C-alpha cells in the first residue's frame, strides 16, 4: 500500500493563478481531510469529507474548494491564489471508529506551495 | 480559532533525560491524539486517547487523557537522538465530529 499520496510536492504560483493539489489514498478510508501548516500555528483544518459526495468546511475554508467523487481521491483547488496561501498543505485520511470518535489520521508527505 | 494551548513551544534536552509536554483547552474534548513530525514529513500518530482518565503507553512514550477532558500530557522517557522533531497534540470537540484541532507544536531538540 502506498498510503496517502500527495502531488505535487512543490509548487510556485503567481498571484491569481489557479491550481489543484491532488490527494489519493489506497486504504479504503471513508474520512479525508486537508490541513495547512504555517510556522508557529500547528495544522489548521481547511475542508474534510466523511465519504464520497460529502464535504464540509473546516476552520480555514476561504479560498479553497474541494470535491469527493470517489472514495480514493480528495483534490484541493485554489481558484485564485493569494500570497496568504503560501503554506505547506497536508492531506490526511482515516477510517472512523464510529460514533463520536475520529480514528487515527494518516498523513501524506505534504505539498509546499509558494504564491508570489 | 485555535483552542488548544500546547506547551512548551520548544525544549532543548540532553540524551537520556525525560521530556514532558502538555495541551490544555477551555473546551471539553472527547478525543486526544499525539503526533510527531520529522522534517519534510507528515505527522505520524504516536498515541490515541478516547476516554477521560485513560493512561496509555507506547514504548518510552506515555500519554494521559485528563480527567476534566480539557487537557492531556505526553511524556518521553530516556530521550534518544531520534526523538528530535515537532510533537503535536490534537483533539476533537464533543460536538465537532470530523474536525480535529491541533496545538501549535513542541519542538524537541536532543543533544548528545
Amino acid at each position: 500500500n502506498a498510503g496517502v499520496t500527495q502531488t505535487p510536492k512543490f509548487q510556485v504560483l503567481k498571484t491569481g493563478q489557479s491550481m489543484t493539489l491532488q490527494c489519493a489514498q489506497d486504504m479504503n478510508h471513508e474520512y479525508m481531510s486537508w490541513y495547512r501548516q504555517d510556522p508557529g500555528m500547528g495544522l489548521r483544518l481547511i475542508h474534510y469529507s466523511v465519504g464520497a459526495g460529502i464535504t464540509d468546511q473546516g476552520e480555514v475554508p476561504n479560498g479553497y474548494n474541494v470535491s469527493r467523487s470517489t472514495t480514493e481521491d480528495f483534490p484541493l483547488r485554489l481558484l485564485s491564489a493569494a500570497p496568504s496561501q503560501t503554506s505547506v498543505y497536508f492531506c490526511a485520511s482515516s477510517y472512523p471508529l464510529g460514533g463520536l470518535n475520529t480514528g487515527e489520521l494518516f498523513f501524506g508527505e505534504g505539498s509546499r506551495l509558494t504564491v508570489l | 480559532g485555535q483552542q488548544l494551548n500546547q506547551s512548551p513551544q520548544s525544549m532543548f534536552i540532553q540524551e537520556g533525560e525525560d521530556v514532558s509536554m502538555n495541551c490544555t483547552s477551555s473546551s471539553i474534548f472527547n478525543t486526544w491524539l499525539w503526533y510527531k513530525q520529522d522534517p519534510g514529513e507528515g505527522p505520524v500518530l504516536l498515541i490515541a486517547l478516547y476516554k477521560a482518565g485513560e493512561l496509555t503507553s507506547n514504548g518510552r512514550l506515555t500519554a494521559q487523557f485528563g480527567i476534566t477532558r480539557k487537557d492531556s500530557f505526553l511524556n518521553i522517557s530516556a530521550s534518544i537522538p531520534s526523538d528530535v522533531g515537532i510533537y503535536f497534540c490534537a483533539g476533537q470537540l464533543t460536538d465537532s465530529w470530523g474536525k480535529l484541532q491541533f496545538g501549535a507544536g513542541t519542538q524537541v531538540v536532543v543533544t548528545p
Side-chain angles (χ1 to χ4, degrees), chain A:
Chain A
N1 287 349
V4 179
T5 302
Q6 290 183 234
T7 56
K9 288 187 168 45
F10 300 94
Q11 183 72 49
V12 178
L13 291 177
K14 294 181 180 178
T15 297
Q17 286 185 318
S18 63
M19 78 156 299
T20 299
L21 298 177
Q22 302 290 345
C23 176
Q25 53 90 11
D26 60 0
M27 297 173 283
N28 201 31
H29 284 170
E30 295 178 3
Y31 177 92
M32 296 186 73
S33 55
W34 277 101
Y35 287 84
R36 61 176 288 173
Q37 183 176 27
D38 302 294
M41 299 192 72
L43 292 95
R44 291 182 291 169
L45 181 63
I46 304 172
H47 285 285
Y48 67 101
S49 168
V50 299
I54 306 170
T55 64
D56 205 348
Q57 296 181 348
E59 181 184 354
V60 289
N62 292 342
Y64 308 95
N65 283 346
V66 292
S67 60
R68 185 91 179 273
S69 57
T70 67
T71 300
E72 294 78 20
D73 301 298
F74 191 44
L76 179 71
R77 297 184 185 86
L78 286 71
L79 297 180
S80 179
S84 61
Q85 293 178 303
T86 294
S87 186
V88 181
Y89 292 85
F90 287 98
C91 179
S93 72
S94 171
Y95 187 82
L97 295 183
L100 294 176
N101 291 341
T102 298
E104 171 183 347
L105 280 182
F106 291 83
F107 283 86
E109 293 185 339
S111 297
R112 184 175 296 274
L113 175 66
T114 301
V115 183
L116 303 175

Side-chain angles (χ1 to χ4, degrees), chain B residues 43-102:
Chain B
V44 174
L45 182 70
L46 299 174
I47 292 180
L49 303 158
Y50 298 108
K51 296 180 181 178
E54 182 179 0
L55 182 71
T56 297
S57 293
N58 178 7
R60 293 178 296 106
L61 308 176
T62 302
Q64 184 159 30
F65 191 143
I67 261 305
T68 65
R69 300 171 70 183
K70 295 182 179 181
D71 63 330
S72 177
F73 73 76
L74 174 71
N75 286 342
I76 307 172
S77 62
S79 59
I80 59 178
S82 61
D83 289 334
V84 166
I86 304 177
Y87 292 78
F88 292 99
C89 63
Q92 178 182 260
L93 293 169
T94 301
D95 58 353
S96 298
W97 190 93
K99 297 182 179 182
L100 274 188
Q101 296 189 17
F102 281 77

